[in-house]
Amino acid sequence: MRIRLCLAALSLVGGATVATVTAPSATAAACSDIDVVAARGTFEPGTLGFIVGDPVFSALQRKLTGRNLSSYRVNYPADLSPTSAAQGNADLVNHVKSQASTCPNQRFVLVGYSQGANVVDNSIGISSAGAVVGSPIVATLPAAVEPKVAAVLLFGNPIRAIGKSVTGTYQSRTIDFCAKGDPICEAGGNDTLAHLGYSADADAAAAFAAGKV
C-alpha cells in the first residue's frame, strides 16, 4: 500500500482541464476552538490520512492543551481522476465557510499532503494547475474568512516541483515540508520513498501551528 501511494502519484501528468465542480454539502462540526481541516494524499488510508493528517492532528492535540479541537476530513476522491483535486478544493472552501458562519469564534488549521496540498493551495488562491495531481482553482476562501485561518501545513506539495509556492496573504502562516529527493515536490527528485516519510514532521508542523493560534 505504501509503495502504491507513491507510484500512483508519480504516474500522473498534471495540468488536465477540469470541469465545473459542485461541492457536496459540508458537514458541520461542533463549535470547537480550532477545526483541523485535512486533505489526504492520493489513495492515502486513515481517518484524516495515515501518513500526515492523523499524526498531525494527534501532535496538535498534544501541543494545544487547553484548546478544544475538532477535525474534518475533506470529502473528495483523492484518486487519479482529473477532477479529484478540484472536488476537494470546492469541499474544503464549502466546509470552512459553513463553519465560519455557524461558529464565528472558531479558527482553522488547514493540512494538505500530496494531492491534498494541491487542494489546500487552490483553496487559498494558489493554483495547482500544471502540477502532478493538480487542478485549476474552482473556489477560494473569502476575505471575511481569511483571518480565521491560523495556519496552513503542507507536505510533499506538488506545486513546488513546478517552481511555485504559497505567496501573499497566507505566506507567513504557511509551513511547507518537502523531503530531500521527493519527486512530487522536488524537481528532479528520485527518492520515491521520501514522499512517504512526512509523519516525522508532524511535531514540527504542530509546533508551528501552535505558535500561530
Side-chain angles (χ1 to χ4, degrees):
M1 174 61 77
R2 287 166 65 87
I3 299 298
R4 181 180 174 227
L5 288 172
C6 195
L7 294 182
L10 290 172
S11 69
L12 259 170
V13 177
T17 300
V18 176
T20 300
V21 175
T22 301
S25 297
T27 301
C31 289
S32 61
D33 297 323
I34 301 163
D35 190 29
V36 180
V37 182
R40 66 200 188 282
T42 306
F43 300 133
E44 186 186 9
T47 303
L48 301 178
F50 177 78
I51 295 172
V52 167
D54 292 340
V56 167
F57 185 71
S58 294
L60 284 167
Q61 288 179 309
R62 293 191 299 271
K63 297 285 185 185
L64 296 173
T65 55
R67 305 289 186 93
N68 181 23
L69 272 64
S70 59
S71 65
Y72 179 76
R73 171 188 167 112
V74 174
N75 182 11
Y76 85 116
D79 62 16
L80 303 183
S81 61
T83 62
S84 177
Q87 290 178 64
N89 173 195
D91 183 72
L92 187 155
V93 171
N94 192 41
H95 170 76
V96 172
K97 286 169 61 179
S98 176
Q99 284 297 116
S101 176
T102 303
C103 307
N105 295 321
Q106 191 172 61
R107 301 191 75 195
F108 301 92
V109 172
L110 308 183
V111 182
Y113 165 54
S114 195
Q115 183 175 174
N118 286 337
V119 168
V120 175
D121 290 332
N122 283 8
S123 300
I124 61 174
I126 308 296
S127 176
S128 66
V132 171
V133 288
S135 80
I137 294 169
V138 298
T140 55
L141 295 173
V145 171
E146 173 267 313
K148 300 176 185 291
V149 177
V152 178
L153 314 179
L154 303 173
F155 305 79
N157 189 356
I159 69 170
R160 291 186 54 169
I162 58 172
K164 296 179 67 176
S165 62
V166 174
T167 56
T169 302
Y170 293 92
Q171 185 175 7
S172 65
R173 284 172 270 169
T174 298
I175 190 166
D176 191 340
F177 297 91
C178 180
K180 182 174 176 57
D182 179 352
I184 302 302
C185 58
E186 180 184 297
N190 59 8
D191 182 358
T192 57
L193 292 180
H195 192 61
L196 304 175
Y198 290 104
S199 297
D201 297 308
D203 281 346
F208 175 84
K212 299 294 183 180
V213 299

